[in-house]
Amino acid sequence: MPLLAVDADFEIADADASALADRLTELYSDHMATGTGHVAVAVRDDQHLSLGRGVTGPLLFLHADVREGRSFDRRRSFALAAMDEARDRFGVPEPNLKVAFTEHAGQDLMGYDRVGGAWSPEEDD
């Protein structure tokens, strides 16, 4: 179960948070070659955030806890797509968008009814 946690320093309406969660789930599925049923997304808004190299404007950070095994190219393509979405949807300047990945062994990501396994390119759930 990947966990995608978004922190923003501006208010995000409930409908926009739901739309963002849905879109991030789709992007994750597309770029990481997996299904959508196990992707978890948290959207936290109106947080106090700071970025030393940022520019004036809103800030948005995405923390992605994912299973290990995917290539740099997969992670980078997802990160860019997620940042493009935040830029286009909320007008966040590109320098104010950040993505951080933390990779875990599949067994370290659990739902109540399942424990993650190792990722493989053939995965389809």
Side-chain angles (χ1 to χ4, degrees):
M1 171 198 80
L3 171 60
L4 309 176
V6 174
D7 287 306
D9 71 348
F10 53 92
E11 187 174 340
I12 300 175
D14 288 347
D16 289 330
S18 293
L20 177 63
D22 290 345
R23 184 66 181 135
L24 289 176
T25 298
E26 292 170 7
L27 290 171
Y28 189 86
S29 175
D30 292 346
H31 290 270
M32 298 298 220
T34 191
T36 59
H38 62 294
V39 179
V41 181
V43 178
R44 301 179 289 235
D45 65 346
D46 207 20
Q47 302 288 311
H48 174 78
L49 303 175
S50 177
L51 179 60
R53 291 183 287 176
V55 299
T56 301
L59 300 167
L60 187 138
F61 305 151
L62 170 60
H63 311 274
D65 286 284
V66 302
R67 286 183 290 174
E68 61 192 2
R70 290 178 176 83
S71 68
F72 169 81
D73 291 337
R74 281 193 186 277
R75 292 190 317 272
R76 182 64 176 158
S77 69
F78 169 70
L80 289 171
M83 288 186 283
D84 286 347
E85 180 67 23
R87 180 199 61 215
D88 296 346
R89 183 178 295 273
F90 300 116
V92 179
E94 290 178 0
N96 293 358
L97 295 161
K98 299 295 176 196
V99 176
F101 287 94
T102 303
E103 292 185 293
H104 301 273
Q107 66 193 23
D108 292 339
L109 298 171
M110 302 178 196
Y112 191 84
D113 62 342
R114 68 185 265 182
V115 175
W119 178 81
S120 71
E122 295 79 31
E123 180 176 318
D124 63 1
D125 70 20

